[in-house]
Amino acid sequence: VHGRATRRRVRARSASRVRILLAEDSATVRYVVAQAVEQLGHECTPVEDGLRAWEALQQSDYEVVISDWVMPEIDGEELCRLVRADPDRPYNYFIMLTSLEDREYVMRAMEVGADDFLTKPLEPHELQTRLIAASRVTALHRNLRRRQQQAEKEIQLAAGVQRSLLPDTPPELERASVAGRCFPATNVGGDCFDYVVDDDGRLNVFIADVAGHSISSALLMAMGRSALRREIAAGASPAAVLGATNRAMYADLVSTELFITMFCARYDPATHVLEYASAGHNPPLLGSGTDVVELDADGVAIGILEEVDFEERTATLAEGDRLLLYTDGAMEALDPAGEQFGEHRLHALMGTDAGVAPEAFLDHIYTAVRAHAGDTPQQDDITLVALQATT
Amino acid sequence: MDEQLLEIFRGEATERLDRMTAALAAAERGPIDAATIDVLFRDAHSLKGGAAMMGFGEIGALAATMEAILAPARDAGAVAADALPALVGGVEAIRAAVAGDASALEPAAAALARLG
């Protein structure tokens, strides 16, 4: 009667029920440890060696592994290495169980990733204190992991929404063809582009780059896109579109300390006239044969000044001329030695693939940029839009 | 003392001691393979752990001495012939102690200690 009462009291005191996997080849030790663990109100699954322990860890989840060091098949050191080798597994608090004489193993065990150790003979009080720490540490690890997975899932969802804001297919135009591509550096980015064909058959095209590629950049990118499309739908010219967009977004950009560069153009395939305005964006390149000119127009990035008078310019395209809009992710792509892809390489590419349609041309540019970068991960979003005057 | 636990310990000890006796007998007849030496080492190691768990300090200490001799033997892949009588003595002393007669533990420990 007294024993049962004590057991209940101990059980009530234990912080929370922990699932423990016990890897131990000695039946005697297994019995003693399992009994002690269960008396503390925890759950114990005893197995005879490291291999069975590793198999059990694939089958079910255990918060704690208590493992002997010397075992047939897979020993305690190897088991600990296996548990720690996969960073995606839920955390296991790893306790090495050794004899007093085997203290040398303890250091090795800690070095391969064990969290703690217990010595034989087992002191129930020691076991209890270790399991309190184990329960707390495991819960913390797993909580962090759960939150991280949640955050990653939300970013994935945001990335999906963001991708859906980019146009799927370019509009079909007479006497012009257009294509666009966006390659985000991370799941969510701050780049966007879009095309809108107005009632007069003119192609309105814009490209924008929000500083950074975080969730806030993505949100501002979505706002910017809406503002641009609204002004374009209202029939505004490129400079007016940028002016109105700046007025609409200025307050929000100032408070977030971010800015957006934009380039907005309107092309009339009937006359081959291109009207354009820039809000501090990298000047697009206009290629005519082997000649390449930059299309720049005065205007600062959106969100810098409250009121901006954007300059509007025009250019007339000849048949076969090609216009390339891009964000700085393309130009600033670094190779392993730290050298940028650079404007000169982009210029050089303009004169190549003369007969190639915009879509394939963009693939060539992106391939060239990635080839330059080699193993260097993409640092910034790369967005490209190409427009070509055709017959 | 938990009767069931004592039963488990006696069963495990007997199984390990029998296996050690057989391995040592084989070693007396000629060289034994690495796997057999490894099992011999692990049996001594587990006896040490089990005895420690039971609070049988003397048995544990003797098993630890045997383990200390078997560890380099395992690494070398051979048990030195002159160590065999003391090891057999150790096994028998533990067997007797598990059965209730601890008198042979001390002389067996002394014989093992002489191996240096």
Side-chain angles (χ1 to χ4, degrees):
Chain A
V1 175
H2 177 258
R4 202 178 295 164
T6 309
R7 194 176 298 184
R8 235 197 331 269
R9 204 162 56 234
V10 171
R11 225 168 249 189
R13 226 188 289 144
S14 70
S16 59
R17 196 172 163 84
V18 175
R19 282 160 300 180
I20 296 160
L21 179 68
L22 170 64
E24 167 63 60
D25 72 332
S26 162
T28 309
V29 179
R30 274 203 306 280
Y31 180 87
V32 173
V33 176
Q35 209 177 40
V37 160
E38 278 162 7
Q39 273 180 12
L40 291 172
H42 302 299
E43 199 180 306
C44 187
T45 305
V47 294
E48 290 158 40
D49 57 53
L51 184 61
R52 286 188 175 84
W54 182 237
E55 282 165 2
L57 283 167
Q58 314 307 308
Q59 305 285 324
S60 341
D61 186 25
Y62 300 93
E63 283 94 355
V64 177
V65 177
I66 299 179
S67 175
D68 187 17
W69 183 265
V70 179
M71 289 185 291
E73 305 290 346
I74 292 176
D75 66 12
E77 180 178 7
E78 180 64 15
L79 179 63
C80 189
R81 276 186 208 283
L82 286 169
V83 164
R84 291 292 178 252
D86 180 3
D88 289 333
R89 6 176 341 103
Y91 196 76
N92 301 113
Y93 193 88
F94 203 102
I95 302 175
M96 287 301 311
L97 184 59
T98 68
S99 298
L100 269 174
E101 300 83 3
D102 297 335
R103 282 293 178 99
E104 68 195 279
Y105 292 148
V106 170
M107 188 59 78
R108 266 166 71 189
M110 300 302 271
E111 275 168 0
V112 299
D115 295 290
D116 208 340
F117 67 96
L118 279 167
T119 50
K120 307 165 189 174
L122 189 67
E123 285 287 334
H125 191 75
E126 289 269 298
L127 176 67
Q128 191 179 8
T129 55
R130 297 317 211 269
L131 291 179
I132 289 169
S135 165
R136 191 163 49 224
V137 171
T138 307
L140 184 67
H141 265 277
R142 292 177 173 216
N143 210 351
L144 279 173
R145 185 166 172 269
R146 200 162 45 242
R147 285 188 198 184
Q148 192 191 348
Q149 285 172 335
Q150 185 66 26
E152 277 167 12
K153 199 171 128 198
E154 279 166 19
I155 289 174
Q156 291 290 346
L157 287 172
V161 170
Q162 198 182 26
R163 270 193 301 278
S164 74
L165 295 179
L166 295 171
D168 287 336
T169 48
E172 294 279 340
L173 299 163
E174 286 194 28
R175 306 178 69 195
S177 60
V178 66
R181 284 263 201 288
C182 181
F183 306 93
T186 50
N187 285 325
V188 291
D191 277 13
C192 80
F193 71 94
D194 208 350
Y195 353 75
V196 179
V197 179
D198 64 26
D199 295 342
D200 299 323
R202 290 174 300 187
L203 172 73
N204 293 267
V205 57
F206 64 80
I207 190 165
D209 181 356
V210 185
H213 31 87
S214 58
I215 291 277
S216 48
S217 313
L219 284 169
L220 288 163
M221 170 275 205
M223 284 172 63
R225 173 184 171 273
S226 296
L228 286 162
R229 285 181 63 96
R230 186 175 58 239
E231 297 308 320
I232 290 169
S237 72
V241 166
L242 292 182
T245 301
N246 187 54
R247 275 191 295 280
M249 297 193 70
Y250 176 76
D252 291 330
L253 285 165
V254 165
S255 66
T256 53
E257 295 183 333
L258 289 170
F259 60 89
I260 313 176
T261 68
M262 291 181 179
F263 184 90
C264 191
R266 182 160 67 181
Y267 179 65
D268 188 342
T271 61
H272 287 324
V273 170
L274 181 84
E275 302 160 89
Y276 61 92
S278 177
H281 196 80
N282 304 69
L285 304 179
L286 178 59
S288 186
T290 51
D291 290 342
V292 180
V293 293
E294 294 186 350
L295 298 187
D296 208 0
D298 288 340
V300 295
I302 305 294
I304 301 287
L305 297 172
E306 195 165 2
E307 193 57 46
V308 184
D309 192 10
F310 290 98
E311 182 190 11
E312 188 161 278
R313 290 187 164 190
T314 58
T316 305
L317 274 62
E319 217 182 283
D321 283 1
R322 189 151 57 191
L323 177 68
L324 176 69
L325 280 59
Y326 63 95
T327 55
D328 51 17
M331 227 172 53
E332 293 171 2
L334 301 175
D335 71 4
E339 193 196 327
Q340 290 194 351
F341 185 72
E343 236 167 309
H344 62 290
R345 287 194 177 83
L346 220 46
H347 276 242
L349 282 169
M350 286 300 291
T352 62
D353 306 325
V356 160
E359 199 146 349
F361 178 59
L362 295 185
D363 286 340
H364 283 191
I365 294 176
Y366 185 67
T367 306
V369 171
R370 290 312 303 159
H372 171 79
D375 291 336
T376 315
Q378 189 181 324
Q379 297 294 319
D380 197 1
D381 307 333
I382 296 176
T383 303
L384 303 164
V385 179
L387 167 72
Q388 190 157 26
T390 59
T391 48
Chain B
M1 177 67 66
D2 181 335
E3 271 309 314
Q4 198 186 339
L5 171 59
L6 201 56
E7 202 55 42
I8 289 170
F9 174 68
R10 282 195 186 123
E12 181 187 353
T14 304
E15 188 191 324
R16 293 190 188 280
L17 292 166
D18 287 351
R19 195 160 46 218
M20 291 177 84
T21 299
L24 291 170
E28 278 169 343
R29 289 192 296 272
I32 52 173
D33 61 17
T36 308
I37 301 173
D38 189 46
V39 174
L40 200 53
F41 164 80
R42 275 197 276 107
D43 279 333
H45 173 83
S46 297
L47 274 175
K48 177 186 76 175
M53 227 42 171
M54 300 294 293
F56 297 156
E58 256 192 304
I59 297 177
L62 187 58
T65 311
M66 292 169 69
E67 183 195 2
I69 291 164
L70 290 166
R74 180 179 61 160
D75 297 338
V79 186
D82 60 357
L84 290 173
L87 287 169
V88 172
V91 168
E92 289 320 310
I94 293 175
R95 195 189 297 280
V98 169
D101 175 10
S103 63
L105 290 174
E106 234 183 86
L112 284 161
R114 278 196 292 276
L115 292 174

